[in-house]
Amino acid sequence: MSRRAFQLTTALTLLTALTVSSAQARTESVRARTEPAQARTKPARDISRDTLAADDGWAATRGGTSGGARADDSHVFTVTDRAGLVRALDGGSATPKIIKIAGAVDANTDDEGRSLDCADYATDGYRADRYLAAYDPRTWGGAKPSGPQEEARKASAARQAERVELPVGPNTTIVGLGKSAVLKGGSLHVENADNVIIRNLELRDAYDCFPAWQPNTGGLGDWKTAYDNIWLRGATHVWIDHVTASDKGHPDAKEPTRFGRNYLRHDGLLDITNASDLVTVSWSRFADHDKAMLIGNGDTATGDRGKLRVTLHHNEFESVVQRAPRVRFGQVHLYNNRYVVPGDVHDYRYSIGVSTESAVYAENNAFTTPGHVEAADLVKSWNGSALHAKGSLFNGYPVDLLAINNAYNSGSERDLTGDVGWVPASHGRVDGAARADHDVQRGAGAGRIR
Ligand code: CA
């Protein structure tokens, strides 16, 4: 072949290659425009037999957390309604089991799947207007409610509890399938159970139809509500990951005022009490709620001493009024979390609550707040004595939470020391707060496991 012919052939080959590849690119881009997004992404990885990584926080220690990973094939369930979920939970049995939730499961339904509303639960003559008339502090006074309306409220509440409280037994994994699994109105009770995993699930609006009036709480009295989206009570080795918990649909901020107090409908998003221990909560979203997370529910609950060891990392607390978390007794490792207080949240109280014998080790958390929230507002102490806090970012700037708390919260009974008596040993990589803020915004919550 002559040199010129060779050059011509090479040029033609190149031209052909370019033409083919640009045609392929056009086909790809046409496909991208015409196919739904779902079809282009590869099918979601099966996460149902995942176990907690060996170094991932307190739940990874002392034997680790595997949930229902050892379930035999006859104990792997896909559920689409409350009845199916209740059957799979098997009354909280210890048999290793995997429960996959597909779509939206509403806890407020009867055995035939029909929706139940508050009127369906009301019994013995309970009516909210009669209850409010009976126990109005201006006529009833400051005594604890008693009598027919209070009895009727209790009986009605028991009927709702029987539907919405769902017992989760030992050796159980509950996962949402895909990006749209929701448990609505339910309260998962992990009680005296070891080895539980809950992942990739939205838990929405654990709404209490029958709030109780408590006249003496805080001087003015307050409304007491029953249901936490998840309640760990005497639970050990629990991993909660990529969960979204909120009051979506029924925010307490939109509830009216009754007896001069917000008529609350929700309790905690995730409460960890009664000597629960060895818990890791990761990559989850806690949003649009008042009291998000209580770790230890009483100053006199000394059975919690040495327990309530919890790791919280890469979680988002958005539009939360208080308890993110509030801690008694526990050694809590709080790292790489993202806190966002939107400008329209005017009742914000605090994020990190330091209470009796708590030992919170906080590092590299990021806080974003509107102008009326100051750095000194982020931490609140009642009867606490120590908080280890480093690497915090406040609206993008470094802040020493301990120093600023001690300098400005002169109302606290005493200054906090930085020595909490322990240093976390089991944890994944701890990133800077700015990096974590960015990653958590993009990666935390249900439907976002990669
Ligand atoms: Ca609670």
Side-chain angles (χ1 to χ4, degrees):
M1 198 189 295
S2 75
R3 184 183 169 87
R4 188 179 165 81
F6 175 76
Q7 281 172 338
L8 194 62
T9 312
T10 310
L12 275 170
T13 310
L14 265 173
L15 191 62
T16 312
L18 277 170
T19 311
V20 169
S21 81
S22 79
Q24 269 169 351
R26 274 198 303 277
T27 311
E28 292 292 323
S29 86
V30 167
R31 198 176 290 154
R33 282 198 303 273
T34 53
E35 287 180 19
Q38 204 95 36
R40 287 201 315 281
T41 54
K42 55 181 184 219
R45 184 170 64 81
D46 181 6
I47 59 167
S48 63
R49 289 189 191 268
D50 287 1
T51 60
L52 180 61
D55 62 351
D56 197 349
W58 275 118
T61 68
R62 291 165 174 77
T65 301
S66 59
R70 287 178 297 109
D72 60 34
D73 289 346
S74 67
H75 291 93
V76 178
F77 308 95
T78 298
V79 303
T80 57
D81 57 14
R82 179 191 175 281
L85 177 57
V86 167
R87 272 196 303 278
L89 286 167
D90 191 24
S93 84
T95 313
K97 62 184 95 56
I98 293 170
I99 302 172
K100 305 175 185 181
I101 293 185
V105 169
D106 187 350
N108 287 293
T109 49
D110 68 14
D111 289 342
E112 281 71 49
R114 284 183 294 254
S115 290
L116 297 169
D117 62 19
C118 294
D120 294 316
Y121 295 123
T123 187
D124 300 353
Y126 174 88
R127 272 186 20 199
D129 58 341
R130 290 182 193 151
Y131 184 90
L132 289 163
Y135 307 116
D136 187 326
R138 289 166 296 192
T139 48
W140 174 261
K144 214 170 160 231
S146 63
Q149 273 300 310
E150 172 60 6
E151 291 308 309
R153 187 201 64 75
K154 281 186 192 156
S156 306
R159 283 158 56 91
Q160 187 182 20
E162 189 270 324
R163 293 278 102 188
V164 302
E165 292 180 350
L166 302 165
V168 180
N171 310 314
T172 300
T173 292
I174 300 176
V175 294
L177 283 179
K179 295 183 184 299
S180 56
V182 182
L183 175 58
K184 187 172 176 293
S187 177
L188 294 175
H189 280 204
V190 186
E191 183 166 0
N192 300 327
D194 181 64
N195 194 25
V196 171
I197 295 174
I198 303 172
R199 299 181 76 202
N200 194 44
L201 183 63
E202 182 181 347
L203 295 138
R204 186 189 298 175
D205 191 22
Y207 183 90
D208 185 348
C209 287
F210 307 101
W213 176 243
Q214 286 198 326
N216 298 317
T217 309
L220 282 172
D222 212 347
W223 292 99
K224 169 98 178 103
T225 47
Y227 308 118
D228 304 325
N229 299 42
I230 302 176
W231 188 10
L232 310 185
R233 186 180 157 82
T236 51
H237 290 111
V238 180
W239 179 31
I240 292 168
D241 177 69
H242 284 93
V243 153
T244 295
S246 79
D247 297 348
K248 192 168 176 177
H250 268 136
D252 280 340
K254 294 240 166 73
E255 290 291 328
T257 296
R258 296 286 183 249
F259 304 165
R261 306 289 280 165
N262 189 203
Y263 196 40
L264 298 174
R265 295 296 191 161
H266 305 86
D267 198 20
L269 292 175
L270 168 59
D271 283 3
I272 303 172
T273 69
N274 299 73
S276 289
D277 199 18
L278 310 176
V279 176
T280 296
V281 183
S282 52
W283 296 100
S284 291
R285 279 195 83 227
F286 300 93
D288 305 322
H289 191 84
D290 190 323
K291 304 175 177 87
M293 190 185 298
L294 186 62
I295 301 178
N297 60 356
D299 293 333
T300 57
T302 50
D304 287 344
R305 204 171 267 156
K307 312 279 191 182
L308 300 178
R309 289 173 291 184
V310 178
T311 302
L312 298 170
H313 73 86
H314 295 94
N315 301 293
E316 180 169 67
F317 296 93
E318 184 177 9
S319 236
V320 161
V321 175
Q322 57 188 319
R323 299 186 184 171
R326 177 179 178 177
V327 183
R328 296 179 175 95
F329 297 105
Q331 292 181 337
V332 173
H333 190 199
L334 184 67
Y335 74 90
N336 283 171
N337 298 286
R338 165 183 160 88
Y339 294 81
V340 180
V341 183
D344 59 356
V345 173
H346 293 290
D347 55 354
Y348 172 80
R349 292 182 62 188
Y350 67 89
S351 294
I352 302 168
V354 178
S355 298
T356 305
E357 297 183 34
S358 64
V360 176
Y361 195 103
E363 49 183 339
N364 300 9
N365 299 293
F367 300 83
T368 301
T369 76
H372 68 272
V373 173
E374 297 175 18
D377 298 333
L378 302 177
V379 172
K380 183 169 166 61
S381 165
W382 308 253
N383 200 27
S385 60
L387 170 69
H388 185 92
K390 64 180 179 190
S392 316
L393 278 185
F394 180 65
N395 292 325
Y397 292 91
V399 63
D400 183 339
L401 292 182
L402 183 69
I404 207 159
N405 180 74
N406 287 343
Y408 291 99
N409 291 344
S410 52
S412 300
E413 56 271 43
R414 60 184 138 164
D415 278 357
L416 300 173
T417 77
D419 180 9
V420 291
W422 73 295
V423 176
S426 174
H427 56 80
R429 192 183 70 206
V430 180
D431 286 321
R435 166 74 185 273
D437 187 53
H438 175 274
D439 290 350
V440 170
Q441 182 179 19
R442 281 157 184 76
R448 295 170 106 180
I449 294 181
R450 279 171 295 192

